[in-house]
Amino acid sequence: MYFCRILRPYYKLLKHSKSLSSLSSYRDRSFYKYFADFQTRLRDNDCYGYVNYVVYGEWIDSTIDKFLIEQCSFDHSKSPLLDYVVYSHCEYYSPLSYPSIISAGLFVKRIGKSSVDYQVGIFENNKSLKASAVGGFTSVFVDRMNQRPHPIDEQLRKQLLSISNIIQ
């Protein structure tokens, strides 16, 4: 009760004007620049017969890592930089279940000095035009030795820009 009295005057400042769910363009397949396919497994389903929410997080993480490894030559074990996930989210629109082929689309929403916002759309059976789920990460690149934020090098920035909608 005490906290409500303190926060009430600030509610409009804290309330988000638009949620991710209102940004329907993130559900459109045409928005994504890089795709990775995954086969669902029987064990992905929960007791209700749908893919468990944890699996969506695995697909999001794997899609981003696959892009960094294949397209950016980013070696997590040897690179002088590490990428730490500092924020993650996922919004669900329609259920998926086994057996399905999942196509995960990726694009870069924002590139900062040492951070990147990734957006991933999860599409069913490689034909769907609207994502069943949309999620993503904010990663901060840090120096492996001192664990402090480190600017993204130009080569990596160039590869990230190749899958972004950022106009420079």
Side-chain angles (χ1 to χ4, degrees), residues 11-155:
Y11 178 73
K12 287 185 179 179
L13 295 173
L14 298 173
K15 186 178 172 187
H16 295 289
S17 60
K18 283 191 172 184
S19 71
L20 278 177
S21 59
S22 68
L23 301 173
S24 61
S25 62
Y26 291 156
R27 290 192 66 200
D28 295 337
R29 187 180 193 89
S30 62
F31 210 63
Y32 297 89
K33 313 277 187 189
Y34 173 85
F35 288 88
D37 292 337
F38 300 96
Q39 172 68 53
T40 58
R41 304 161 299 183
L42 183 58
R43 73 181 191 127
D44 294 340
N45 283 4
D46 59 17
C47 62
Y48 303 106
Y50 301 113
V51 172
N52 190 287
Y53 69 93
V54 174
V55 178
Y56 289 85
E58 292 173 2
W59 290 334
I60 292 167
D61 184 41
S62 295
T63 302
I64 294 167
D65 280 342
K66 185 175 170 120
F67 173 78
L68 289 173
I69 292 165
E70 291 178 357
Q71 304 296 316
C72 303
S73 302
F74 189 79
D75 185 348
H76 288 80
S77 63
K78 296 177 184 169
S79 173
L81 298 180
L82 298 172
D83 61 329
Y84 286 160
V85 174
V86 296
Y87 173 74
S88 66
H89 66 91
C90 190
E91 295 201 7
Y92 307 93
Y93 300 101
S94 59
L96 300 171
S97 61
Y98 172 83
S100 291
I101 303 282
I102 302 305
S103 184
L106 170 67
F107 80 93
V108 171
K109 232 165 85 171
R110 186 190 67 80
I111 303 174
K113 184 179 176 183
S114 61
S115 65
V116 180
D117 288 348
Y118 302 99
Q119 193 77 20
V120 177
I122 306 294
F123 301 90
E124 186 173 20
N125 292 331
N126 215 0
K127 295 177 186 173
S128 178
L129 298 178
K130 292 285 188 187
S132 295
V134 175
F137 288 167
T138 298
S139 289
V140 174
F141 288 90
V142 300
D143 183 87
R144 184 181 293 272
M145 299 302 282
N146 65 18
Q147 302 291 302
R148 300 294 305 155
H150 190 278
I152 299 169
D153 66 50
E154 285 306 311
Q155 182 64 22

